[in-house]
Amino acid sequence: MAKKATKGKMTYYFGKNTEGRGVAKAILGGKGANLAEMTGIGLPVPPGFTITTEVCKAYYDLGGKLPPDLMAEVKSQIGKLEKELGKSFGDSKDPLLVSVRSGAAVSMPGMMDTVLNLGLTDESVQGLAEGTNNERFAYDAYRRLINMYGDVVMGIDHHEFEAAFTKIKKKYKAAYDTDVPAEGLKELCDEYKKVYKRSTKKDFPQDPMEQLELAVEAVFKSWNTPRAIKYREIEGIRGLLGTAVNVQSMVYGNMGDDSATGVMFTRDNTTGNNSLHGDFLVNAQGEDVVAGIRETQHIEEIGQWNKAIEKQLKDIKKTLETHYTDMQDVEFTIERGKLFMLQTRTGKRTGAAAVKIACDMVREKLIDEKTALLRIPAKDLTQLLLPNFDPASKKTATLLTTGLNASPGAAVGKLAFTAAEAESRSAAGEKVILVRHETSPEDVNGMWAAQGILTSTGGRTSHAAVVAVGWGKCCVAGAKEISINEKARTITVNGKTLTHNDTISLDGTTGEVMLGDVETIHPELGGDFGKVMKWADKYRKLGIRTNADTPADSQRARDFGAEGIGLCRTEHMFFEGERIVAVREMILSETEPERRKALKKLLPIQRKDFVGIFTAMQGLPVTVRLLDPPLHEFVPHEEAAQKELADHMGVTLQVVKDRVSQLHESNPMLGHRGCRLSITYPEILEMQVQAIVEAAILCHKKKVKTKPEIMIPLVGTFKELKLLREKVEETIASTIAAKKFEGKLDILIGTMIEIPRAALTADEVAEHADFFSFGTNDLTQMTFGYSRDDTGSFLPDYLRKDILHVDPFESLDQTGVGQLVEMGVTKGRSAKPDLKVGICGEHGGDPSSIDFCHRVGLNYVSCSPFRVPIARLAAAQAALRNA
Amino acid sequence: MAKKATKGKMTYYFGKNTEGRGVAKAILGGKGANLAEMTGIGLPVPPGFTITTEVCKAYYDLGGKLPPDLMAEVKSQIGKLEKELGKSFGDSKDPLLVSVRSGAAVSMPGMMDTVLNLGLTDESVQGLAEGTNNERFAYDAYRRLINMYGDVVMGIDHHEFEAAFTKIKKKYKAAYDTDVPAEGLKELCDEYKKVYKRSTKKDFPQDPMEQLELAVEAVFKSWNTPRAIKYREIEGIRGLLGTAVNVQSMVYGNMGDDSATGVMFTRDNTTGNNSLHGDFLVNAQGEDVVAGIRETQHIEEIGQWNKAIEKQLKDIKKTLETHYTDMQDVEFTIERGKLFMLQTRTGKRTGAAAVKIACDMVREKLIDEKTALLRIPAKDLTQLLLPNFDPASKKTATLLTTGLNASPGAAVGKLAFTAAEAESRSAAGEKVILVRHETSPEDVNGMWAAQGILTSTGGRTSHAAVVAVGWGKCCVAGAKEISINEKARTITVNGKTLTHNDTISLDGTTGEVMLGDVETIHPELGGDFGKVMKWADKYRKLGIRTNADTPADSQRARDFGAEGIGLCRTEHMFFEGERIVAVREMILSETEPERRKALKKLLPIQRKDFVGIFTAMQGLPVTVRLLDPPLHEFVPHEEAAQKELADHMGVTLQVVKDRVSQLHESNPMLGHRGCRLSITYPEILEMQVQAIVEAAILCHKKKVKTKPEIMIPLVGTFKELKLLREKVEETIASTIAAKKFEGKLDILIGTMIEIPRAALTADEVAEHADFFSFGTNDLTQMTFGYSRDDTGSFLPDYLRKDILHVDPFESLDQTGVGQLVEMGVTKGRSAKPDLKVGICGEHGGDPSSIDFCHRVGLNYVSCSPFRVPIARLAAAQAALRNA
């Protein structure tokens, strides 16, 4: 659909004779492309033009210089604009004024800088006053220009402007900005120009084209500010040329009480309800809405103010949704009763809203179910699965106040007052809620780190709300009753004062702010969610299993739709309660008979665990991984605990200490663990296999079907697997014989592929395996040579410097590690065509990794219970995308 | 040349109408093939037949049972033998007696069991007495049979037989075995039969065919004794079917003073001198020579005993060497003046002998220089390069005694009295000399572990000597003046008593045993060694570089023929003297300016190092690896040293402690090291590159040519290399500019391939590299998931259980790691066809790894200076073998 850009063309006009319709978003940016599109479908859009993202790239390629011919082309576009509007740039009568905004191919809310009212000078401000017959308005526009321009283009500290404004307000005894008369604003413009000169050593530019040139450059510069880079990092946005610049004629929402400005979603972006959602402000500029400084009105109330506008907005909603077949996020301004659309883009939404909107649009026949599936960002399903507050616990909680339900979810944490504090305390392991008057782009790192966000001002479309919804993070905004003392690190609300050590609970779905740690419960699933899951199951090719070590987890995963357990780690079972004592006895044993004695105590416990898990899974496959971690993880490292163990075992403390120090390893990740343990201590393997088989027999007697799969970890050579497989088979046979069991047990024996060498020699390994399961956590560690425990010292730097696009432990490195996975599958199946192959690393729940797993032909992915729905959806999307 | 075995044929006759000539060694075993061969070329060999190795395999395949038709075929061969010799098996007049010996395709000295005099029964022993007219001889043969048969076939403790013999000797007041009269031996046979019955609950078998059947089975069984398995493990012998069994008519060297038995090398296997070398014993059986129980005579003296035999042996030497074109190790027996050859095989030899014999045989036109090159086991060259004792130091040393110079070399260590002791003390890091009366196959593990071997009895062909020569291990045998008290763990020699805590020095070249730790010096090289190296350089395709970090090592490597430095580790330079203080200052710095200050102190030191190395290498390439190890390796971990550092730096102890603990890593192997350091602290890289460039400029001024190659370690993604390459290039340019240098510097920039991911993405990496160097140590660690520091807990078990054939850190794992190397080369060259590729892991000096490097098309291998000659030879062999 997207046209190619016209070669050499740097700007595209929209208005009369729109040039840019259908040109790729990559070139025009999202905002620019949509402005051209809206103009094209006949919506009222103030005309203007877009400077392409290619120019931004050229700017950086030239070492931070605008291409030489750019301004000539810009000048010609300004000429067109002057002609269409019958105004002229810098005119002393009725000057053409423009806004300059950034707009990359991908929306980055609040990240890029904007300049409004550009074109005003000492001379043209008078023309504006005349033209509008409103001197106050003209000087208000001018002071805003000098302020924004000084701040954004010239980098002047905005506190300097604020200080000047405060002085003027005092002088005129004005409570609000709007109380300052024209006289005062005129004076303020002079003060602002002084601030400007003091900081820049230059006068505020009086040539509109000079203003424009510097503003364009400022937008390009803002593409590479640390906060913009950080945002792209968090969102995994890459491959963009840069940002486009949109130069658009100004319209004003602050021309009186018949003017307004607003931001609106065509459906509720938090719940998905099919009703307009958003805020508007009468007699205000757009920035006032987004910044959340003034209290906004809900869009539902706009009819009370202007019935015709309400109807027009509803019509436009329909036009847009029919055109884009998706929910839109629009900005609009009403200038003296006339509506102008300033922007449209696909609206960010919560996971719940994504599900509901997709299902509704299928019902409305706007889209089909495949499109609906592809519309829902799989990872956002997490939000639907996350716990809500337990109503019972809420009933007894102290409600502090109620703010706006800006982004749903339940968050509990201690109070943090700055982004930096939220970051550092989170890094130290604390759960915190970031509390701010309002948030700004500088706060994103802290917002990311916090459990939830609470602001005392700002609405549903404020910075805090928009960013939080994008991330699926709980946010309560505009909780006006809260008074924040950032310096003292306290908040006061309805007579209560809380410090940074107090815990609060935020309900982003209701806007409630509660004292203390309110308990959470799991959500009920069904309805549209169930429908999406059903669609997903219809299209996906991958099986979905779960990683679960307890009957409770197994049950939860089944509830979420898991078709089996892909990884049941037995070591977690070793830590609970009394068992650890027997485990330690086993480890401290000096001889095999002693070890066997200790293992005998563990046998019934392990058997019981397996009976529980098998029963929960009701005949679905359960892949049990034999003991994996190095033994030193099980022994106590503190002297007191060592002494206790020594006493219990009747040996001296020194004996325990010696064994613990003997078990110490320089690089435990690459040490005596996994199948290496079973080679050295086959009796551990024997006990575990015996427990599995006995559990299966017990289940069989109770008519519970079982399908155990025994998985041998950390195999690097086929001989390890061959030897241990024989040992497992012997133990199965001897256990069946000892129990005189006459039924049929269907037990597979396979291995994890997590050592690079196992993937490289997968053909040899497959000869002895019924199945492979890729352990991509360890495979990633060894393929990169990264210890997960130690990457803290360099991985953040690697992400920052774009050496790595994403943390390879979160999303599978398809270029490197992926090669080994593919090799493992291909070689493995070359030796054994019907080899069952899955993945049980944490990548099994990551949508982009699931796409990869689909493409290389795995049989299933396995992930944590909560990610099972994500995996089901992502698997369907992979099947549809790669069809 | 080797014929295929006749299908289904289980035995091959040699004698009149020899059947087995030209049948593969794999089928007849080495001994069997050579017996057939010797018979074929007309040498006097007692007739017999060989049961094939296939039968041994069948025996194991049948779960330890002889194939049903075997004994019928054996009976028919016995029939032929009876016919040729005119004797019959079990005859009461002049019985046919046979020996039963093992013989696999590869020689395993002392490993397999032998039974002599088989066919003697209570009845036929009288026939033998009659036939030989020597009752004493007959009963001596019988008692030997019962003893060996009981020991080897039935597993009776040989001490029981020894005890019985001692009683008889006492009764007959005999000092030596030979002093016991016929009467006593007759009595001894009865005693032995009682021992036999007591242990086995059966009578000694009186049916010769039953004896034979059980003996054949015993030979097969001995194939899989732990010691045989261990020997194969150490020698890397694999892929064999099993052992053959040689059944051969007996001849006797103990039939009086006109009889003798001996073992002989056709050339001196320790020096290579072209003269007969070995031992003989008049009136003795072969086992007496090999076991080293009686003192043997040197073969040079045989002419004094029998001139005709001497001539005959010299003729046979010529026949054999002409036929086999190699030095032979033969066994012979002289029965009543008539010479019989019992065995021939290619003789094991020291590295020095291998070189001399190969060169001599080229001069004698027996072989050409290519064959000569292939004849010398490359790794045995180590022996020629190993230090000898410093004559000056020897002059002042206390000579304890002089034994036989059984296997050359210089060994220093404390006394160990049993093989087990030698093993365990060596494992604990001690250097020990194993001191034994004589060694036996049970001792091999201890011999392997010891620095050298000292025996008080036994000759140059004793077990100790043969095994030691095979391994290139220093051995002094037959040091008769030493009296060993195994129980008290002391030796007494010429009035001195030494304990297990005393150190001795063994000179295997001279046979001297000295008190204390005598100093060693490096050998002079030239002559035949130089010739071999010249030949090797003519045929090899691989370049040979060295791993050297100092000017002295660089010089030594050049003397050995290194063509450049493939790995110059800069971290070693950081530890010496005062530098470590500056290094620690750098690490403890909190800011970049502080770090730069500390680095400034290091710059002149590093520069001086490089000037030294560049000067030593005179324009040959020098690959400098930038800093690699994690920083915590450089900081002190003991409180006292930390305090000192804190004082020096003017900070508190806590500051130092905090930084040290901050640097701690869970898995340092996979942590913040290699290029990851340069990403975080680019200033370290800058200092090192500056030092390299300044050194090159200084050399340039002194007309010393330089060819530096800067190597960036631990790269896993091309972006790391791209970023650091830019940084290196910038630093080179800025250093050249700062020094106003106008000459030309030729500096390559490349990377180590040691992270699996780097090999997997070598095409991307190669875009930014002038060269690759495979760091196969780390590559092996990560591909296997083995930490070299931690393999002690499982790797010995893995080798024992044959999960791994060899330690993958000694010899490159061609199946797994090799795939990554090959992939690295292929992908790297696909992106950059002229990419220079080498290897600098320790595998660069291992012959079988070098063969692999040749095959995958590397440009060079780099190894430690001492292994350079090995690498040169191995590279030539690889070129010849793969031509």
Side-chain angles (χ1 to χ4, degrees), chain B residues 17-38:
Chain B
N17 303 322
T18 296
E19 298 173 329
R21 232 190 136 185
V23 171
K25 266 192 191 177
I27 305 299
L28 291 185
K31 186 179 285 185
N34 283 332
L35 285 170
E37 209 58 30
M38 282 199 291

Side-chain angles (χ1 to χ4, degrees), chain A residues 666-670 676 679 719-720 755 757 760 783-785 787 790 798 801-802 805 813 819 827, chain B residues 666-670 676 679 719-720 755 757 760 783-785 787 790 798 801-802 813 819 827:
Chain A
S666 305
N667 297 286
M669 175 55 50
L670 307 175
R676 299 165 197 170
I679 302 269
K719 287 204 182 164
E720 291 165 314
I755 296 273
R757 196 179 185 283
L760 290 162
T783 305
F784 272 93
S787 157
D790 302 311
Y798 269 46
K801 292 180 178 165
D802 197 34
H805 297 310
D813 161 51
Q819 266 188 68
K827 289 195 172 193
Chain B
S666 306
N667 297 285
M669 175 55 50
L670 307 176
R676 299 166 198 171
I679 302 268
K719 287 201 182 166
E720 291 165 315
I755 297 274
R757 197 179 184 283
L760 290 162
T783 306
F784 272 93
S787 157
D790 302 310
Y798 269 46
K801 292 181 178 163
D802 197 35
D813 162 50
Q819 266 188 67
K827 289 196 172 195

Side-chain angles (χ1 to χ4, degrees), chain A residues 456-477:
Chain A
S456 57
T457 59
R460 285 181 195 84
T461 46
S462 66
H463 178 266
V466 172
V467 171
V469 166
W471 288 340
K473 204 175 272 285
C474 169
C475 174
V476 171

Side-chain angles (χ1 to χ4, degrees), chain A residues 81-92:
Chain A
L81 207 49
E82 289 173 328
K83 208 170 148 196
E84 179 167 350
L85 294 173
K87 295 183 176 189
S88 81
F89 210 33
D91 191 18
S92 60

Side-chain angles (χ1 to χ4, degrees), chain A residues 791-804:
Chain A
T791 47
S793 49
F794 62 90
L795 205 61
D797 230 22
Y798 269 46
L799 291 167
R800 217 171 354 254
K801 292 180 178 165
D802 197 34
I803 292 171
L804 296 171

Side-chain angles (χ1 to χ4, degrees), chain B residues 796-853:
Chain B
D797 229 23
Y798 269 46
L799 291 166
R800 217 170 358 251
K801 292 181 178 163
D802 197 35
I803 292 171
L804 296 170
H805 298 310
V806 284
D807 181 340
F809 295 106
E810 278 178 20
S811 195
L812 187 80
D813 162 50
Q814 300 180 15
T815 316
V817 182
Q819 266 188 67
L820 287 177
V821 172
E822 203 166 353
M823 197 180 291
V825 175
T826 310
K827 289 196 172 195
R829 294 224 176 105
S830 78
K832 192 170 273 180
D834 59 346
L835 186 76
K836 197 164 49 109
V837 185
I839 182 176
C840 62
E842 278 169 39
H843 300 108
D846 168 67
S848 106
S849 310
I850 291 169
D851 192 87
F852 174 82
C853 292

